[in-house]
Amino acid sequence: MSLEIRKAVESDAATILELINGLADYEELSGMVTATEEQIRKTLFSDQPYAHCFLAFWQGKPVAYALYFFNFSTFLAKPGLYLEDLFVQPDWRGKGIGKDLLLTLAREAKAKNCGRMEWMALDWNTRAHDFYRSLGADMLEEWKLFRATGESLDKLASL
Amino acid sequence: MSLEIRKAVESDAATILELINGLADYEELSGMVTATEEQIRKTLFSDQPYAHCFLAFWQGKPVAYALYFFNFSTFLAKPGLYLEDLFVQPDWRGKGIGKDLLLTLAREAKAKNCGRMEWMALDWNTRAHDFYRSLGADMLEEWKLFRATGESLDKLASL
């Protein structure tokens, strides 16, 4: 089989950064990326990493990644697995790589005794919505995301 | 001052569970709570806790809590602070306790070198939306939350 999926290790930091930049290019948000290889090493591969990553290789070439962390359900008092990024480089789409990564994460969630797995999709991406629903996931339409970042967060912290 | 806010410690596990149940009652979702004191101790107060909690006391009585964990921004390669629950018991509302908890978390986010702070609100709760916006937060309307839990997660993991 030409597809291999494995957990990322510290020496993959440059590859992860390349894929993050691939995602940013795709979303036309390249200007938003301030991540560096060193920051990735520090945040993903320390003793207490903030997040974890799976890489997918097609014929040996890294072409996709799934980055996740553990969130928490208070009602269950159990961790959940939150998928922050799932990205397949455009030239390698249509081979089921994204689905394989998603299923890998579902198995990881079960292995880590997680009560749930969550992720977000853009509202216009109805093809993705249909795909996720076909896999049995629910869309929680009643929740809205709020964010304070940069100057807004500074202001909030100084009130 | 009659309000005191402090980080929860292990001996607060019963208090935290009481407040989680208070939130579930308020949301009419009591049947969803399977959390136990022991689970709270294990998940919040181990060496590598999944989440953290601030408690607010009014004249010595615990009346509110904010439960949060660290998420991750790939573009920034930095952690973020995600506020999972912010709940004030109904009889103690209108005293600014929720706002004080929110500001405490913003300061915690800065202290922990977080690039952002995020949380969710129900779409019908426009009073909350206005309040969050008045504090400088943005509502990210374009994102939809997906979830697989229980049997859906089992199924996904077995595909």
Side-chain angles (χ1 to χ4, degrees):
Chain A
M1 192 181 170
S2 26
L3 178 67
E4 186 213 346
I5 291 176
R6 65 159 172 82
K7 269 196 186 163
V9 294
E10 190 167 351
S11 57
D12 293 317
T15 299
I16 296 170
L17 183 57
E18 208 179 297
L19 289 162
I20 291 171
N21 280 319
L23 171 61
D25 281 348
Y26 183 71
E27 291 184 340
E28 299 184 358
L29 291 174
S30 301
M32 307 279 283
V33 177
T34 61
T36 63
E37 223 182 292
E38 197 201 332
Q39 269 292 108
I40 288 170
R41 252 189 238 113
K42 235 166 59 179
T43 48
L44 299 193
F45 301 105
S46 68
D47 287 347
Q48 296 207 18
Y50 283 102
H52 311 270
C53 186
F54 278 98
L55 291 172
F57 298 82
W58 186 264
Q59 295 172 340
K61 186 182 161 63
V63 297
Y65 79 113
L67 193 135
Y68 64 100
F69 51 80
F70 295 101
N71 63 14
F72 190 74
S73 159
T74 40
F75 285 7
L76 308 175
K78 267 190 174 185
L81 188 151
Y82 185 88
L83 173 57
E84 174 69 20
D85 285 345
L86 178 65
F87 177 66
V88 182
Q89 292 279 25
D91 290 350
W92 282 269
R93 297 195 181 171
K95 298 177 190 303
I97 299 175
K99 182 176 175 182
D100 273 4
L101 275 169
L102 203 69
L103 301 185
T104 300
L105 289 170
R107 290 190 290 270
E108 178 75 1
K110 294 300 293 181
K112 290 289 171 11
N113 192 31
C114 290
R116 64 192 187 190
M117 174 172 163
E118 294 173 317
W119 62 94
M120 286 195 147
L122 285 160
D123 56 2
W124 51 259
N125 198 351
T126 51
R127 220 178 66 159
H129 303 180
D130 292 344
F131 172 60
Y132 297 146
R133 281 184 169 129
S134 78
L135 293 173
D138 293 315
M139 180 154 93
L140 281 71
E141 305 209 46
E142 68 278 24
W143 289 101
K144 296 284 178 199
L145 180 64
F146 284 82
R147 178 182 292 170
T149 187
E151 281 176 27
S152 318
L153 180 59
D154 290 346
K155 189 194 137 204
L156 211 53
S158 68
L159 286 181
Chain B
M1 194 182 169
S2 27
L3 178 67
E4 188 213 345
I5 290 176
R6 65 158 172 81
K7 269 197 185 162
V9 294
E10 189 168 350
S11 57
D12 293 316
T15 299
I16 296 169
L17 183 57
E18 209 180 297
L19 288 163
I20 291 171
N21 280 317
L23 170 61
D25 280 350
Y26 182 72
E27 291 184 340
E28 299 183 356
L29 291 174
S30 301
M32 307 280 283
V33 177
T34 60
T36 62
E37 223 181 292
E38 197 201 332
Q39 270 292 107
I40 288 171
R41 250 187 241 115
K42 235 168 56 179
T43 48
L44 300 193
F45 301 105
S46 69
D47 287 347
Q48 297 208 17
Y50 284 103
H52 311 270
C53 186
F54 277 98
L55 292 172
F57 298 82
W58 187 263
Q59 295 173 339
K61 186 182 161 59
V63 297
Y65 79 112
L67 192 135
Y68 64 100
F69 52 78
F70 295 102
N71 64 13
F72 190 74
S73 159
T74 40
F75 285 8
L76 308 176
K78 268 189 174 188
L81 187 152
Y82 186 88
L83 173 56
E84 174 69 19
D85 285 346
L86 177 66
F87 177 67
V88 183
Q89 292 279 23
D91 291 350
W92 281 269
R93 298 198 181 169
K95 298 176 190 302
I97 299 174
K99 182 176 176 182
D100 273 4
L101 275 168
L102 203 69
L103 301 185
T104 299
L105 289 171
R107 289 190 291 270
E108 178 74 2
K110 294 299 294 180
K112 290 287 170 16
N113 192 30
C114 290
R116 62 193 189 190
M117 175 173 163
E118 293 174 317
W119 62 95
M120 288 196 145
L122 285 160
D123 56 2
W124 52 260
N125 198 351
T126 50
R127 220 177 67 159
H129 302 181
D130 293 344
F131 172 60
Y132 295 146
R133 281 184 169 131
S134 76
L135 293 173
D138 293 315
M139 180 154 92
L140 281 72
E141 305 208 46
E142 70 278 25
W143 289 101
K144 296 285 178 200
L145 180 64
F146 284 83
R147 178 182 291 168
T149 188
E151 281 176 28
S152 319
L153 180 59
D154 291 345
K155 190 195 136 204
L156 210 54
S158 69
L159 284 181

